[in-house]
Amino acid sequence: MSEAPRQPLPVVVLISGSGSNLQAFIDGQARGELPIDIRAVISNRADAYGLERARAAGIPGEVLSHRGFDDRASYDRALAEVIDRHEPGLVILAGFMRILSDAFVTHYLGRLINIHPSLLPDFRGLHTHERALESAVQVHGCSVHFVIPELDAGPLIVQAEVPVWPDDTPETLARRVQIQEHRIYPLAVRWLAEGRVCMREGRTWMDGRPLEQTPRITADTRVETL
Ligand code: GAR
């Protein structure tokens, strides 16, 4: 007897800005490479360009501004209410530039992921490209990870590395890193949607085993075969 085909994984994507990673999900889904159903895109900023991208793809967009809320906890409670209306199996932070309360993160533990523009654990926090250049590292990159209460410290799922060139500026480096973000973020989401990756006991599991070493891709890696 053949297995019933897996239902697309319902996801909600949170953004604050351009939404180029959101676009990578929309494109991957349109090409039939990503078994997900993007139920909604939620932004804390009304002017986020990603909302335009959602509209163009026929995905419901919602704005929940953080202004007017007394504190982080009350905003996060309202945000969770909006998210949960869509019953997502996965909540994707794609350039959502807010620190999340412990209660919010705990509510979604194991089904909340983020992309961060550095090779974690290096350069947690902001201004990662500037800091990579100041530190004169030769290799920089990006990381997809499960979100835990500690900032940028959750179990890693996949990373991509890029070389740093002597004449790089934060902008040139950011562009090179983003090209890789648009490869590894859909890859990680595909693994989750296929049930290959999950978080268990505070670790990333892949194909039924705790991950010993985070998969790391380079510009040459053929991600479609992973
Ligand atoms: C991405 O480069 C992502 O790595 C970064 O925001 C950008 C969003 O771009 N996220 C963080 O810095 C999280 N701390 P996008 O809106 O074009 O996807």
Side-chain angles (χ1 to χ4, degrees), residues 14-18 21 44 93-98 114-115 185:
L14 303 192
I15 62 165
S16 300
S18 153
N21 281 285
N44 63 319
L93 304 178
F96 188 65
M97 301 308 276
R98 284 186 58 81
N114 181 43
I115 190 152
Y185 216 3

Side-chain angles (χ1 to χ4, degrees), residues 17-22 94-95 97 114-117 125-126 152 178 181-182:
S18 153
S20 68
N21 281 285
L22 165 68
M97 301 308 276
N114 181 43
I115 190 152
H116 183 77
L126 296 174
D152 298 330
Q178 272 220 330
E181 290 190 11
H182 302 157

Side-chain angles (χ1 to χ4, degrees), residues 59-99:
I59 300 165
E62 293 182 48
V63 177
L64 185 67
S65 171
H66 48 276
R67 295 182 204 288
F69 283 89
D70 287 345
D71 52 26
R72 191 175 298 285
S74 48
Y75 176 78
D76 283 4
R77 270 197 304 273
L79 180 61
E81 237 173 69
V82 177
I83 295 171
D84 287 347
R85 261 185 243 142
H86 301 283
E87 302 184 352
L90 181 66
V91 178
I92 302 175
L93 304 178
F96 188 65
M97 301 308 276
R98 284 186 58 81
I99 294 185

Side-chain angles (χ1 to χ4, degrees), residues 111-133:
R111 53 190 182 114
L112 179 64
I113 61 171
N114 181 43
I115 190 152
H116 183 77
S118 78
L119 289 174
L120 290 170
D122 292 344
F123 311 122
R124 293 175 180 170
L126 296 174
H127 310 300
T128 56
H129 308 304
E130 287 86 342
R131 287 157 60 208
L133 291 174

